[in-house]
Amino acid sequence: MTLRGDLQLVQDLINPGARVLDLGCGDGALLDNLQRHKGVNGYGLDRDPVNINRCLASGVNVVQQDLDHGIGNFLDDSFDMVVMTNTLQAVKNPRTLLREMLRVGEECLVTFPNFGHWQCRLQIFLHGRMPVSAHLPHSWFDTPNIHLCTAQDFEQLCAAEGFRIIQRRMVNQAYRQQRLIALAPNFFSSYCFYRLGRP
Amino acid sequence: MSAQTIQADAIGLVEVHTFQHGGPLVLQNGATLQNFELVYETYGQLNSARDNAILICHALSGHHHAAGRHHPDDAKPGWWDACIGPGKAIDTNQFFVLSLNNLGGCHGSTGPKTINPETGKAYGPDFPQVVVRDWVTSQAKLADHLGIETFAAVIGGSLGGMQAMQWAIEYPDRVRSCVIIAAAAKLSAQNIAFNEIARQAIVSDQNYLDGRYEEADKIPNRGLMLARMIGHVTYLSDDGMGNKFGREVKSGEFDQDESIEFQVESYLHYQGRAFSKYFDANTYMLMTHALDQFDPARGHAGDLAEALSAAQARFLVLSFSSDWRFSSQRSQEIIDALITARKNVASAVVESEHGHDSFLLPLTRYTTIMKTFLQRVLDEMREGGA
């Protein structure tokens, strides 16, 4: 199975044999790959019945759980890595959840679309419209994304909370790194990956 | 076409078998049964590798007759016919399904109605108190007898789910997967309280006679009926009852009693009366005590994860949104413990308005989940994985 571009990158950032908790695991593709290729012991949380069936069909350990109700049922330090891909912007309490992720896991890995990307800025600035793009395909009225942020916003939150940024990858719409992005990441990257550690 | 459809997913006629265990069985409370019998049924074919067997564990008032019909004109099929059959969630085209009546039951297995060889009279209230672990031990003897080394799955709802869990703990290498439905790792105080009210309903029936009603040729019908009515209310949800009965006045469909005003009363009377005719009061006492006592974490300082540490099975833990007798939180405790113990586990909360009784119903999402999970178990066996 070929992985969605962002998941391929996430997989590269996870150590073999790690204990992984995947928040909003979707159809379980990431965990399925991690189990097959990296000997990872993983669990995924999702609330969508269709996703849960797909996970069951591929033998992924999926637990039906709504992230908006928190992850308080997981013990401190029970995972090496808590992953949340493309979901941060859709949860009710992103800050609380990030704190929780670093309680449960030694590290966490968060990916999300960068609202500071120049195309987003242009759509608001020039057209006066809410941005729609490859990473933000929804119209304002039916988007699940209620907490969009820019890479800079996110880093400010990390600084305020004392989260340590261990690794950062800023990519374009094809999930590739580019020289331009290095110049002004918050302007040229459309998607970001953050690997965080505790204060 | 509808006749064909019925044909296609119905098991058809099934037979009852009896397993006779010749040797003694020492129970958890120290008592010994010199020998015992279990009645059981099987559906589907055991393959040549003898690895496609599924064990069905029944709940409080269940028995061996889980699917199919004994006679072509039986009004109803077995109690879990909705889920067991060709192409159904527990697919008898692929699996060999084994269903039995537990020790202490009143449907043919050795229990309070059996003659005690020492006295020549029925055991009655003197039948030893069996617990979930005793059931699992006796079920394993039946599996030995049938030449089943490893079950592809052990499945149960409610009290049956507790047996499935105990199987995974007790015989880790004999359980490939374990499906725990609408169950709990131990009963809550509220749950024990409901059992005690039901027991008191039976005890206070003047025909109960400390359980020696059979000797006096009496049956504590009133008590059993009341116990069932209490139980039944807790197996349904407020919304489910509201939708089914509302405040409709009785139609005479269930009951002709003039003192009954509402449809729901009539229904409860009907259910209670029917139950009191086929269920044994001593078995009811015994089964509810077994329910109350189940707590596999007790021997591990209350640590359920520790209790589950020996298990090797892949688990599926299911609960229903409107079930308040065995709520989703109770299932979540099992799931959390399994994750802490690093076991393979998947879970789902199925939306349903039918309360605890949901586990008996052919709800599409529920049956799809079970079918998908069991298919995966089969695939892993064929890949030589798991």
Side-chain angles (χ1 to χ4, degrees), chain B residues 13-253:
Chain B
L13 295 181
V14 297
E15 280 175 36
V16 182
H17 307 277
T18 304
F19 160 58
Q20 294 183 317
H21 186 263
L25 179 73
V26 180
L27 303 170
Q28 290 299 314
N29 70 353
T32 302
L33 284 175
Q34 286 314 322
N35 49 60
F36 66 89
E37 284 185 5
L38 296 175
V39 290
Y40 67 94
E41 294 181 0
T42 68
Y43 324 112
Q45 297 296 318
L46 187 61
N47 63 12
S48 55
R50 310 183 88 79
D51 67 356
N52 69 330
I54 289 182
L55 175 66
I56 307 293
C57 303
H58 71 71
L60 182 59
S61 60
H63 44 68
H64 54 292
H65 185 38
R69 285 174 159 82
H70 290 148
H71 305 288
D73 48 356
D74 279 357
K76 281 182 181 173
W79 57 269
W80 218 13
D81 197 79
C83 291
I84 304 170
K88 290 185 185 172
I90 301 167
D91 187 354
T92 49
N93 288 332
Q94 312 218 53
F95 293 104
F96 173 70
V97 180
L98 168 62
S99 171
L100 75 151
N101 182 215
N102 280 338
L103 211 53
C106 55
H107 292 89
S109 292
T110 300
K113 287 162 85 174
T114 307
I115 300 296
N116 180 351
E118 284 171 23
T119 62
K121 289 191 283 187
Y123 279 100
D126 301 328
F127 192 80
Q129 176 61 52
V130 290
V131 292
V132 168
R133 219 168 148 186
D134 295 317
W135 285 333
V136 168
T137 312
S138 61
Q139 289 160 1
K141 305 251 185 240
L142 172 57
D144 294 341
H145 166 74
L146 295 172
I148 299 163
E149 179 60 37
T150 306
F151 282 106
V154 178
I155 305 178
S158 196
L159 178 56
M162 293 171 165
Q163 293 160 58
M165 192 190 309
Q166 188 66 45
W167 257 96
I169 293 170
E170 195 89 17
Y171 300 104
D173 49 353
R174 299 189 72 172
V175 185
R176 205 175 279 278
S177 74
C178 177
V179 183
I180 301 168
I181 308 163
K186 58 171 186 253
L187 290 194
S188 64
Q190 187 198 44
N191 218 326
I192 294 172
F194 278 120
N195 282 342
E196 178 57 13
I197 295 168
R199 282 190 294 262
Q200 283 305 316
I202 292 172
V203 170
S204 40
D205 186 318
Q206 55 185 7
N207 283 346
Y208 180 64
L209 303 168
D210 290 328
R212 305 199 183 277
Y213 45 87
E214 209 136 349
E215 294 169 34
D217 209 19
K218 296 205 161 130
I219 302 174
N221 289 78
R222 286 299 297 178
L224 266 170
M225 176 176 158
L226 204 52
R228 184 58 166 181
M229 286 167 77
I230 295 158
H232 216 86
V233 171
T234 70
Y235 303 151
L236 302 175
S237 73
D238 193 10
D239 286 347
M241 279 184 122
N243 288 342
K244 192 166 179 177
F245 307 108
R247 292 180 50 83
E248 268 177 58
V249 293
K250 70 157 183 166
S251 64
E253 180 187 348

Side-chain angles (χ1 to χ4, degrees), chain A residues 19 41 43 49 52-53 56-59 61-65 73-75 78-79, chain B residues 314 332 335-336 338-340 342-349 365 368-369 372 376:
Chain A
R19 298 172 302 163
N41 169 261
Y43 299 89
I52 286 166
N53 266 345
L56 286 171
S58 55
N61 291 323
V62 65
V63 171
Q64 182 173 337
Q65 190 166 333
N73 54 315
F74 290 91
L75 301 178
S78 49
F79 287 89
Chain B
R314 174 178 282 283
Q332 191 64 48
I335 297 157
D336 291 341
L338 285 166
I339 293 176
T340 301
R342 302 275 151 207
K343 304 301 169 189
N344 284 318
V345 55
S347 81
V349 182
R365 182 167 179 230
T368 306
I369 288 171
T372 310
R376 175 68 197 182

Side-chain angles (χ1 to χ4, degrees), chain A residues 113-169:
Chain A
N114 175 24
F115 208 67
H117 185 231
W118 65 269
Q119 282 187 350
C120 296
R121 300 187 193 204
L122 210 65
Q123 285 181 60
I124 292 181
F125 184 71
L126 282 186
H127 306 295
R129 306 278 311 270
M130 281 299 283
V132 174
S133 69
H135 287 135
L136 295 165
H138 304 280
S139 296
W140 66 272
F141 49 83
D142 68 352
T143 182
N145 300 329
I146 53 173
H147 283 115
L148 289 160
C149 69
T150 71
Q152 198 158 314
D153 288 330
F154 185 77
E155 290 187 20
Q156 262 183 17
L157 176 66
C158 291
E161 293 289 320
F163 303 149
R164 212 155 36 86
I165 297 175
I166 299 168
Q167 221 172 342
R168 179 182 87 161
R169 273 196 204 174

Side-chain angles (χ1 to χ4, degrees), chain A residues 85-101:
Chain A
T85 60
N86 207 29
T87 302
L88 182 75
Q89 72 277 8
V91 299
K92 250 189 211 161
N93 293 298
R95 183 175 62 177
T96 312
L97 196 54
L98 284 167
R99 287 175 183 162
E100 279 290 278
M101 289 169 78

